[in-house]
Amino acid sequence: MGDNAAVKNHHHHQVFDVSADVAPAGSKCFDDDGRLKRTGTVWTASAHIITAVIGSGVLSLAWATAQLGWVAGPTVLFLFSFVTYYTSTLLAACYRSGDHATGKRNYTYMDAVQSNLGGMKVKICGWIQYLNLFGVAIGYTIASSISMMAVKRSNCFHASGGKDPCKISSTPYMLAFGAAEILFSQIPDFDQISWLSIVAAVMSFTYSTIGLGLGIGKVAESGKFKGSLTGISIGTVTETQKVWRSFQALGDIAFAYSYSLILVEIQDTLKSPPSESKTMKKATLISVSVTTLFYMLCGCFGYAAFGDLAPGNLLTGFGFYNPYWVLDIANVAIVVHLVGAYQVYCQPLFAFVEKTAAEWFPDSEFIKKEYKIPTPIPGFSHFRLNFFRLVWRTLFVILTTVISMLMPFFNGVVGILGAFGFWPLTVYFPVEMYIVQKKIPKWSTRWISLQILSAACLVISIAAATGSFAGLVEDLKSYKPFKSSY
C-alpha cells in the first residue's frame, strides 16, 4: 500500500513529444486548466500504482492463502484483482466532469465525489478517507516495530544457536518509531521529496522479493508443496475459528489491493491526448496484472513453504531462520519503507486538520504565524516553525503510537482497514459517480448489474470486518497491554 509521494513529482520528468503540441488550448507550456503541462504516460502511471500497491500488505498474503486453501485462495486473489481493475476504470472515467476529453478536471478523490455526487456524500467520503489514513498510521507503527524486533531476534537466535527463546517487548521499538515520526512530521509539506517515493519503491520490491525467494527456496529444499485444497484443517482450528479466519483473510487481501484513494491524483499527472481516462485504463490493466502475478507468487509460495503454519507476517513470523542476514536486510527494508510511507499517508490528514483549524480560528497567531529559523544545512536555509503544527502533529504521532502499543496485532488491524476501506472507496463511490457521469437510467440492465456488484462487495466487506474483529477479540484474550513479547 501506497506512496503517493510518487504522485507529486510528476513535473520533474519532462518528456518531449510532438503530438503534445497540438493541445486543445494550443499552448506549449500549459494545460487547459492553466497548470504546467502534464507529462505522465502509461508507464509513469503504472509505476506509481505498482509502488503504491505493493507494500506491507504483501506480507500477510501467505497467511490469507493458508486460511482459504489452494482452491479458494488464488480464486479470491484473482476476484479481488478483477473488481479492483473494473472499479478503477469506472473511477478513471470520473476524472473529468462532463465531456471526457475537455470537461472540468477533478484533482483529488474528494473533488470527484464533490462534482458528481455532492452534499452529504462528500463529508462521508472525507471521514472514511481520513479514518482510513489514521488506521494506516497505526498499522505501520505495529508492522515496523515487529520488523525491528525480528532483526533483534534473528540475530539473537543466530548467536545462541537457537537455544535462547529470545523474548523481547515491542514497546521500546514502537517508541523509537514514534520518535522518528515526530521528527519527520515537522517537515511542512512533502511535495519536494521525489526521492522518498523512489526509496520506498525499491524497499517494497526488496522485501517482497526476499519473501518470495525464501518461500521458493524452502519449497525447493523440502521438495514438496505443503497445504491442502481447502486450507487450514479443522482440528488445527475449530470450525468457528475457520469461518472467522477465512473472513479475516478477505480483509487482508482487500488491504493488499487498495489504491483507489490515490487513483485520481495519479491520473492528474497524465498528458493528453489521448484522453486521460484511456491512458489510465491501460495503466490500471498493466499494474493490476503485475501486482496480481506478484501476489499470487508470494501468497502461494509462502503457503507451499509452510502449509497450515504460514505466519501472519511472512518475514517476521519465524518460518525462516537462515540465512539470517537476508532476513535482516528484508526487515530493515520494511522499516525504511514504513517510516516514509507513514508520512505519505499522514500528510493529507495533517494538511486537512491544519486547513480546518485556520478556517475556524482565522485570527489566531498560534495557528497561523510561522517563524523562520536559520539552519546550517546547505540548500535548506531556514526551517518554518509553526507552533500549532508542532503541537498537533506531535500529539497525533503520540496517539497512534499509544494505540499501537495497546493492540499490536498486524493481521487483525490490516484486515479491519482492508474491510473498512474496500467497499466505500473501491466500489460504492466509483459505481455511484460513474452512474451519474454516464447518466445511466435507473433499473436499466447496466444500472442493475452495477448495483449487484456493489451489493456483493458490501457483503464481502461486512464479512471481512466481522472476521477481523473476531480475530482481534481472540488475540486480546491472551494479551496483556504494554507487555507484549514475541
Side-chain angles (χ1 to χ4, degrees):
M1 202 151 152
D3 304 289
N4 354 14
V7 179
K8 301 211 175 99
N9 323 315
H10 54 275
H11 294 310
H12 303 318
H13 347 282
Q14 283 295 340
V15 181
F16 294 101
D17 184 322
V18 192
S19 65
D21 295 348
V22 236
S27 155
K28 288 194 173 177
C29 317
F30 299 99
D31 273 326
D32 52 8
D33 59 342
R35 298 201 179 183
L36 272 175
K37 262 225 181 304
R38 293 163 174 79
T39 55
T41 60
V42 172
W43 299 111
T44 59
S46 308
H48 287 328
I49 297 174
I50 292 170
T51 303
V53 180
I54 297 183
S56 50
V58 70
L59 300 172
S60 61
L61 291 178
W63 181 88
T65 312
Q67 309 317 307
L68 300 166
W70 279 123
V71 181
T75 310
V76 168
L77 270 167
F78 179 75
L79 280 175
F80 268 101
S81 71
F82 174 74
V83 170
T84 304
Y85 166 70
Y86 181 66
T87 56
S88 298
T89 60
L90 300 186
L91 190 53
C94 301
Y95 169 63
R96 286 177 182 269
S97 307
D99 183 85
H100 74 95
T102 56
K104 176 186 153 301
R105 297 167 185 266
N106 297 307
Y107 300 115
T108 63
Y109 195 98
M110 275 181 80
D111 287 349
V113 175
Q114 175 76 56
S115 54
N116 286 296
L117 303 172
M120 201 49 212
K121 287 186 177 166
V122 185
K123 286 201 167 60
I124 295 171
C125 168
W127 272 106
I128 293 171
Q129 229 177 331
Y130 292 124
L131 264 171
N132 217 340
L133 296 178
F134 179 67
V136 166
I138 294 167
Y140 281 1
T141 307
I142 297 170
S144 66
S145 74
I146 292 178
S147 285
M148 290 188 252
M149 290 159 58
V151 171
K152 183 98 197 297
R153 284 189 69 193
S154 101
N155 295 343
C156 156
F157 276 129
H158 182 74
S160 72
K163 292 185 184 62
D164 180 351
C166 299
K167 285 233 182 283
I168 41 182
S169 160
S170 60
T171 306
Y173 296 93
M174 290 194 184
L175 290 172
F177 183 80
E181 291 307 343
I182 287 178
L183 209 64
F184 282 117
S185 295
Q186 298 312 320
I187 299 174
D189 346 271
F190 243 39
D191 293 355
Q192 303 315 314
I193 314 197
S194 49
W195 52 268
L196 184 90
S197 101
I198 298 165
V199 170
V202 172
M203 292 301 155
S204 32
F205 270 110
T206 306
Y207 63 72
S208 309
T209 314
I210 289 179
L212 175 59
L214 290 171
I216 295 174
K218 191 150 177 145
V219 171
E221 191 186 9
S222 67
K224 58 176 184 291
F225 275 74
K226 292 189 177 162
S228 62
L229 293 181
T230 54
I232 204 163
S233 41
I234 292 175
T236 319
V237 290
T238 62
E239 274 182 33
T240 44
Q241 267 178 326
K242 168 90 180 161
V243 173
W244 290 133
R245 284 171 142 214
S246 303
F247 285 166
Q248 187 181 336
L250 295 176
D252 284 6
I253 293 172
F255 178 79
Y257 272 113
S258 60
Y259 74 98
S260 51
L261 274 175
I262 58 168
L263 182 133
V264 180
E265 280 90 338
I266 294 175
Q267 194 164 345
D268 193 35
T269 66
L270 299 174
K271 66 174 180 201
S272 68
S275 76
E276 296 88 354
S277 57
K278 273 193 188 142
T279 311
M280 200 61 195
K281 280 179 189 166
K282 272 189 204 154
T284 303
L285 185 61
I286 294 169
S287 49
V288 171
S289 311
V290 170
T291 308
T292 304
L293 177 71
F294 200 71
Y295 280 2
M296 290 275 189
L297 287 171
C298 283
C300 296
F301 270 106
Y303 182 36
F306 297 115
D308 283 358
L309 302 173
N313 180 328
L314 192 58
L315 289 171
T316 58
F318 284 95
F320 306 113
Y321 292 105
N322 282 315
Y324 77 105
W325 52 269
V326 175
L327 270 182
D328 290 353
I329 292 174
N331 281 306
V332 169
I334 294 175
V335 175
V336 173
H337 176 194
L338 293 180
V339 166
Y342 182 99
Q343 285 306 320
V344 169
Y345 272 86
C346 292
Q347 286 291 336
L349 182 60
F350 290 161
F352 172 72
V353 169
E354 281 147 31
K355 198 174 110 208
T356 314
E359 281 164 14
W360 284 355
F361 308 105
D363 307 325
S364 157
E365 287 246 313
F366 174 65
I367 290 175
K368 291 207 155 165
K369 193 161 164 92
E370 297 218 332
Y371 301 90
K372 291 191 169 180
I373 298 170
T375 63
I377 308 164
F380 186 68
S381 56
H382 54 259
F383 177 70
R384 308 204 311 265
L385 175 74
N386 164 306
F387 284 113
F388 175 65
R389 191 189 301 138
L390 181 74
V391 173
W392 128 253
R393 292 186 181 191
T394 305
L395 287 174
F396 174 85
V397 176
I398 291 172
L399 179 67
T400 56
T401 311
V402 169
I403 295 176
S404 310
M405 290 185 211
L406 283 170
M407 35 177 266
F409 313 113
F410 180 66
N411 274 56
V413 172
V414 162
I416 287 176
L417 278 175
F420 177 70
F422 171 68
W423 180 69
L425 298 172
T426 306
V427 186
Y428 175 76
F429 285 120
V431 163
E432 291 299 305
M433 291 196 290
Y434 185 75
I435 289 174
V436 171
Q437 181 95 351
K438 296 283 183 227
K439 305 189 175 54
I440 298 172
K442 244 189 185 168
W443 306 113
S444 61
T445 322
R446 189 97 207 259
W447 188 87
I448 292 173
S449 41
L450 283 168
Q451 296 298 348
I452 290 172
L453 170 76
S454 185
C457 292
L458 174 60
V459 172
I460 293 173
S461 248
I462 292 171
T466 44
S468 303
F469 273 117
L472 266 185
V473 169
E474 189 156 300
D475 286 338
L476 284 166
K477 280 181 193 158
S478 59
Y479 165 77
K480 298 174 188 60
F482 302 115
K483 289 221 175 60
S484 84
S485 55
Y486 286 84

